[in-house]
Amino acid sequence: MRRINNRSTQKQVYIIGDGHSEKIYFEQLKVNEDIKGLNIKPELPVHSGYKSIFTKAKAYIKEDKECKVYCLIDFDKIVEEGKVKQFNKDLEAVLKNKQIQVFINNPCFEFWFLCHFEKRTGAFKNCDAVANELKKYVTDYCKRQDYLRKKGIYSHLRPNMVSHAIPNSEFLESDRENRSDYYPRSEVYKLLKVLLNHG
């Protein structure tokens, strides 16, 4: 990947996810893809939960009026705790700032990994259930940081991104307004289209 020395020509792009899987995945994307003009900075919120992610996003745009902030939200706890209506209200408020975009994963980010292998429409009980399904295809899969880094999870999944993950995720968005809160989804593909088609 060609290094760009003049950082002033680069737009800052913050990607805030709720867990280490998201951070490691996008750190590896930054290394593996030749994305010019963007300085991608995967981040973690101070505390877990979507409100902490939104708070950190607003802090970044307060500091930098030119940056873009992409928030990755796991939906499992929101549904489990009966906070969908409150989330939608908070989402509407945060999206008033055009520098911020929000992408939802249901139940969690690992569902994006699973989309690289199958088109799944049935709901998952929780993120552990997603990980167990994923082990059918990545037999040694686990969420440990050292594993994800050593495995090179981004480059391991990358060959199936365009052929499987993106169309499988897009398929789940059809008729979304009539789906239950438990219906699986991963909007990561929307973020990847933004990043990989940049410039």
Side-chain angles (χ1 to χ4, degrees):
M1 178 175 171
R2 187 173 66 84
R3 300 290 177 193
I4 301 172
N5 295 322
N6 185 2
R7 291 189 60 186
S8 64
T9 64
Q10 292 185 299
K11 177 172 279 192
Q12 293 281 16
V13 172
Y14 298 97
I15 300 172
I16 312 172
D18 208 14
H20 291 284
S21 299
E22 297 93 306
K23 188 172 189 293
I24 292 166
Y25 180 86
F26 283 100
E27 284 173 348
Q28 293 178 358
L29 175 146
K30 181 179 178 179
V31 170
N32 283 276
E33 303 289 348
D34 186 17
I35 302 175
K36 299 175 178 67
L38 297 182
N39 183 33
I40 300 170
K41 299 188 72 176
E43 300 283 349
L44 286 168
V46 177
H47 305 288
S48 65
Y50 80 87
K51 288 192 177 185
S52 184
I53 291 174
F54 287 172
T55 298
K56 190 157 192 170
K58 288 184 276 190
Y60 282 133
I61 62 172
K62 190 174 181 181
E63 291 173 14
D64 182 356
K65 302 299 182 190
E66 301 298 318
C67 75
K68 292 287 291 184
V69 185
Y70 301 115
C71 304
L72 295 167
I73 305 296
D74 287 351
F75 216 54
D76 54 346
K77 298 294 184 192
I78 296 168
V79 174
E80 184 182 308
E81 295 169 5
K83 295 182 177 176
V84 175
K85 284 186 180 178
Q86 184 61 51
F87 169 77
N88 288 334
K89 185 178 177 182
D90 295 338
L91 177 64
E92 187 178 346
V94 81
L95 291 179
K96 287 179 181 175
N97 191 302
K98 300 304 181 190
Q99 287 174 257
I100 300 174
Q101 285 184 262
V102 176
F103 304 99
I104 296 170
N105 293 293
N106 195 11
C108 58
F109 184 73
E110 277 71 24
F111 182 68
W112 166 246
F113 294 172
L114 184 60
C115 286
H116 288 71
F117 302 102
E118 65 177 58
K119 183 185 288 184
R120 171 69 179 243
T121 57
F124 285 95
K125 183 178 179 182
N126 52 38
C127 196
D128 288 341
V130 177
N132 287 335
E133 185 73 11
L134 185 58
K135 285 179 183 178
K136 292 181 181 178
Y137 308 99
V138 185
T139 54
D140 61 343
Y141 181 78
C142 74
K143 291 181 70 169
R144 287 198 331 265
Q145 294 181 59
D146 60 336
Y147 168 82
L148 294 169
R149 293 187 194 284
K150 187 175 180 181
K151 185 76 171 180
I153 196 65
Y154 178 82
S155 48
H156 183 79
L157 297 173
R158 181 65 171 89
N160 286 357
M161 181 195 292
V162 176
S163 60
H164 291 76
I166 291 175
N168 288 346
S169 300
E170 285 179 321
F171 173 80
L172 292 169
E173 292 307 302
S174 63
D175 201 30
R176 170 58 57 179
E177 62 277 4
N178 294 317
R179 304 295 187 184
S180 81
D181 293 335
Y182 295 92
Y183 194 73
R185 81 187 306 185
S186 179
E187 293 188 297
V188 176
Y189 77 94
K190 296 178 182 178
L191 173 53
L192 289 175
K193 283 184 173 184
V194 170
L195 297 177
L196 300 180
N197 295 329
H198 173 78

